[in-house]
Amino acid sequence: MHGRFIKSDYTKQFSKSKESKEAISTEINTAMGNTKKSVLNIVTGILGQVITIAIGILLPRLFITSYGSETNGFLSSINTLVSYLALLEAGVGTATVQALYGPIGRSDRGKINGILSATNRFYKRTGLAYGIIIVCLAIGYPLIVPSELSFLLQSAIILLVGAGGVLGYLFQAKFRLLLQAEGKQYIITNITTTIHVCTSVGKLVCISLGLSVIWLQILQFVLVIVQIVCYYAYVYKHYGWIDLKVEPDEKAISQKKNVLVHQISEMIFNHIDVVLLTLIVRDLRIVSVYTLYNMFVDMISTLIGNVNTGFVFRLGQHYNNTDPEKHRSVFDVYETFYMALSFSLYTVTYMFLHPFMRLYTSGVKDVDYMLPLLPLLFVAYKLLICGRAACGGLSSYAGHFKQTQMHSIIETSINLVVSTGAVILFEQLWGLGIYGVLVGTIAALLFRANIMIIYANKHILYRSCWETYKKWVLNVGLTIACCAVFVIISPEINDYFHLILYGALTGTAVILVFFISNALLKKDNTVFLINYVKGKWKKRRKRTEEKTT
């Protein structure tokens, strides 16, 4: 790939053609622009996540101590149920992004408008159903799930949460998809982070003033509207050529029905645990325990995901506009170091999750947050998701939704059957239904992760799946070894200062171990990456010199 954009190679080939020289300049500028987008996506994603983590650590504890674990569990349950309404999208979001990669790479504005027009029309058709379901949920949920909260308060909160979701669904979703396919995830991150900070500060003020929880939801609803205005302002300024009234290109997003199967599977993995705990265990305090652990491990997932998003648009555009051999080399480098990052960060998370939770929940007496196996189960759950992400993303931007939909159906079935059975069994025998939902999810993930690895390598990359499996073997082995060493050392952590100190030192050592080991395992990937970076650096210096002269 690094040789693809070297100006001298092209100049030799097309030195006699003025048009070709202009094409060379355009391609170089495009390459540099894409690199800049990747860097911006990663930097803003990491900064945004640091801010989110800082707020996420402070706010939930204040919320629990002010309103109680039951209220926290209720809000988590409602947010989970409302998120299921994204299924009304019927896969059109993912199908739209995948369809946009090619036209964006070719700067085909007509095709882009047709795709966005079709997407916009679909959202309008399903928006009414979204609103009706929210109203039904506001009436039915308080009647089904026992709670000390009043019927009126629960209904009002559900309506506010749902109304924000409806407005975002109707007015901003299509523009997020465009920016995502364009590689401008940093714009989405900046808007989201800004709104999140404003929301969190407002919530802190409401809590400090002793206001009812309903005021927090009103504030959040108002800021959803502000967020929509921000998207419209940016798109109006930078994409004045967008026309949603053109003839919809329904064919471009025709795979949305196949995508829906995958989307259902993803929604189940993200939210079925909370639903089962709500309906079977019927204790919102246990939902609060699950949510708190999940929130902290999700912070790591989001941090890793920001790195993934920073590159995935390049991989999608690259796959649709280059030859398979080049893409295979780029993908292999990406997979190697993405897995190294994922495993290293979650290894550190496992080491320090319990010590952190012990400090964080000290003084909270209404439920026990220190269940011994939760760190292991949560980290295993998230590692399986992150570890398979590269192969899963490849199937997505390659457009293999129909070919892999049966895999999603089987995965969903395993998750539902095993999770439901396990949560009932664990709850009846030991009163630990929370373990059951995680066991069921891990069982389904083990199946799907293997299927993703085999399918992506065999049917898209046309190579042996051992190329991916040996990375798994290495990284799982390193995780076990690092955790064993940590248990032997067993540093005493009784305050946040030592938690941060040991976390920083251990994290640095673990990350180095993982990246060095993966670099040695895949020396060809390391050489490819070094040469690529050198090529980009030389081109940047050359452009700088040309500007100065």
Side-chain angles (χ1 to χ4, degrees):
M1 178 180 174
H2 60 283
R4 181 182 177 191
F5 302 114
I6 300 296
K7 185 174 181 180
S8 60
D9 294 340
Y10 284 101
T11 304
K12 292 176 181 178
Q13 186 176 356
F14 301 106
S15 60
K16 297 182 181 180
S17 171
K18 180 178 179 180
E19 291 79 4
S20 297
K21 290 181 180 180
E22 292 175 352
I24 296 166
S25 177
T26 300
E27 187 164 359
I28 291 174
N29 290 333
T30 300
M32 296 302 292
N34 284 337
T35 301
K36 183 178 180 181
K37 287 178 185 177
S38 296
V39 173
L40 285 172
N41 286 338
I42 295 170
V43 171
T44 56
I46 293 174
L47 290 176
Q49 189 59 21
V50 168
I51 295 172
T52 301
I53 289 174
I55 295 172
I57 291 174
L58 176 63
L59 192 59
R61 176 174 171 79
L62 290 176
F63 189 94
I64 292 172
T65 54
S66 299
Y67 300 109
S69 294
E70 181 166 349
T71 302
N72 185 54
F74 165 72
L75 285 174
S76 300
S77 179
I78 292 305
N79 285 323
T80 296
L81 291 174
V82 170
S83 68
Y84 270 104
L85 295 181
L87 292 176
L88 289 170
E89 189 186 45
V92 73
T94 303
T96 296
V97 173
Q98 191 275 333
L100 285 171
Y101 281 138
I104 287 174
R106 300 187 301 270
S107 299
D108 186 347
R109 291 185 174 182
K111 185 72 172 178
I112 294 170
N113 276 327
I115 294 170
L116 291 177
S117 177
T119 302
N120 184 53
R121 186 160 77 170
F122 182 87
Y123 281 146
K124 287 183 177 179
R125 288 174 180 171
T126 54
L128 178 62
Y130 199 137
I132 292 173
I133 294 173
I134 289 296
V135 173
C136 294
L137 185 61
I139 297 172
Y141 182 93
L143 298 175
I144 297 173
V145 181
S147 174
E148 296 179 359
L149 302 176
S150 70
F151 179 94
L152 184 61
L153 178 61
Q154 291 183 71
S155 296
I157 290 175
I158 293 171
L159 288 173
L160 285 169
V161 173
V166 171
L167 292 178
Y169 180 85
L170 288 173
F171 296 107
Q172 79 178 30
K174 53 187 173 289
F175 296 135
R176 286 176 63 101
L177 299 175
L178 172 64
L179 294 175
Q180 183 180 339
E182 277 269 16
K184 292 187 176 181
Q185 182 67 31
Y186 59 92
I187 299 298
I188 299 174
T189 301
N190 290 339
I191 294 175
T192 303
T193 302
T194 302
I195 296 298
H196 182 66
V197 169
C198 293
T199 302
S200 299
V201 171
K203 287 182 177 181
L204 289 173
V205 172
C206 291
I207 293 173
S208 64
L209 293 176
L211 299 178
S212 169
V213 68
I214 191 66
W215 287 103
L216 278 68
Q217 303 309 311
I218 293 173
L219 169 70
Q220 189 165 318
F221 174 74
V222 171
L223 287 172
V224 166
I225 297 175
V226 174
Q227 180 170 286
I228 293 172
V229 172
C230 291
Y231 275 106
Y232 267 83
Y234 183 85
V235 171
Y236 178 80
K237 180 178 179 181
H238 297 278
Y239 295 89
W241 49 269
I242 287 180
D243 183 5
L244 299 177
K245 296 180 180 180
V246 303
E247 183 68 22
D249 188 353
E250 300 287 353
K251 185 178 180 180
I253 58 173
S254 60
Q255 286 208 72
K256 59 181 181 289
K257 293 181 180 179
N258 303 119
V259 175
L260 177 60
V261 177
H262 296 269
Q263 192 172 9
I264 290 173
S265 176
E266 182 179 353
M267 293 293 291
I268 287 176
F269 273 120
N270 290 336
H271 305 297
I272 192 62
D273 292 356
V274 171
V275 173
L276 290 177
L277 290 175
T278 301
L279 297 179
I280 297 176
V281 178
R282 297 172 67 82
D283 187 345
L284 292 177
R285 295 172 301 171
I286 297 299
V287 176
S288 179
V289 174
Y290 179 96
T291 303
L292 202 59
Y293 273 90
N294 192 56
M295 180 187 70
F296 288 122
V297 293
D298 258 351
M299 289 179 179
I300 306 301
S301 294
T302 306
L303 182 64
I304 297 169
N306 285 327
V307 176
N308 178 52
T309 305
F311 286 108
V312 74
F313 83 97
R314 290 288 306 277
L315 291 170
Q317 293 179 12
H318 195 261
Y319 178 86
N320 284 275
N321 296 288
T322 193
D323 65 83
E325 186 62 35
K326 287 183 179 180
H327 179 265
R328 190 181 297 113
S329 299
V330 173
F331 175 83
D332 200 33
V333 174
Y334 167 74
E335 182 185 52
T336 297
F337 294 102
Y338 181 78
M339 287 184 67
L341 177 67
S342 300
F343 274 84
S344 61
L345 291 182
Y346 270 116
T347 298
V348 178
T349 300
Y350 172 75
M351 293 173 177
F352 291 94
L353 186 54
H354 243 165
F356 172 77
M357 291 298 294
R358 183 171 57 251
L359 295 173
Y360 190 80
T361 60
S362 61
V364 179
K365 304 297 183 182
D366 56 354
V367 68
D368 182 13
Y369 283 87
M370 297 304 297
L371 299 177
L373 293 180
L374 283 185
L376 175 62
L377 293 173
F378 268 107
V379 167
Y381 163 27
K382 298 299 180 180
L383 262 182
L384 284 167
I385 291 178
C386 289
R388 73 179 192 175
C391 288
L394 175 59
S395 298
S396 178
Y397 60 71
H400 286 222
F401 301 113
K402 184 176 182 179
Q403 297 92 322
T404 58
Q405 65 181 7
M406 184 54 65
H407 305 161
S408 291
I409 293 172
I410 297 173
E411 176 190 42
T412 301
S413 300
I414 294 173
N415 198 356
L416 284 172
V417 173
V418 178
S419 292
T420 302
V423 71
I424 294 173
L425 179 64
F426 278 66
E427 183 65 22
Q428 289 181 346
L429 294 180
W430 303 291
L432 294 171
I434 191 171
Y435 285 172
V437 293
L438 290 166
V439 167
T441 302
I442 290 171
L445 282 168
L446 283 169
F447 163 79
R448 187 68 190 282
N450 282 283
I451 290 295
M452 281 185 172
I453 292 169
I454 294 170
Y455 183 88
N457 281 280
K458 182 177 180 180
H459 297 285
I460 303 178
L461 296 175
Y462 303 105
R463 68 178 188 182
S464 169
C465 57
W466 175 241
E467 290 297 321
T468 297
Y469 275 126
K470 62 185 178 183
K471 298 171 189 176
W472 273 90
V473 171
L474 172 66
N475 287 295
V476 170
L478 289 173
T479 296
I480 295 172
C482 289
C483 290
V485 172
F486 185 78
V487 169
I488 294 172
I489 297 174
S490 298
E492 186 175 350
I493 302 174
N494 296 315
D495 52 59
Y496 284 109
F497 172 77
H498 286 93
L499 180 74
I500 295 172
L501 177 62
Y502 290 136
L505 294 174
T506 305
T508 301
V510 169
I511 290 172
L512 287 174
V513 167
F514 273 83
F515 272 82
I516 292 173
S517 299
N518 277 272
L520 293 175
L521 173 71
K522 298 289 292 183
K523 292 181 181 179
D524 55 334
N525 289 173
T526 308
V527 172
F528 184 97
L529 183 61
I530 292 172
N531 290 336
Y532 178 77
V533 172
K534 284 182 178 179
K536 290 293 183 183
W537 176 252
K538 288 179 180 178
K539 281 184 285 186
R540 183 177 292 275
R541 287 185 60 186
K542 189 171 183 178
R543 289 183 68 200
T544 303
E545 292 172 359
E546 289 175 352
K547 287 181 180 180
T548 55
T549 55

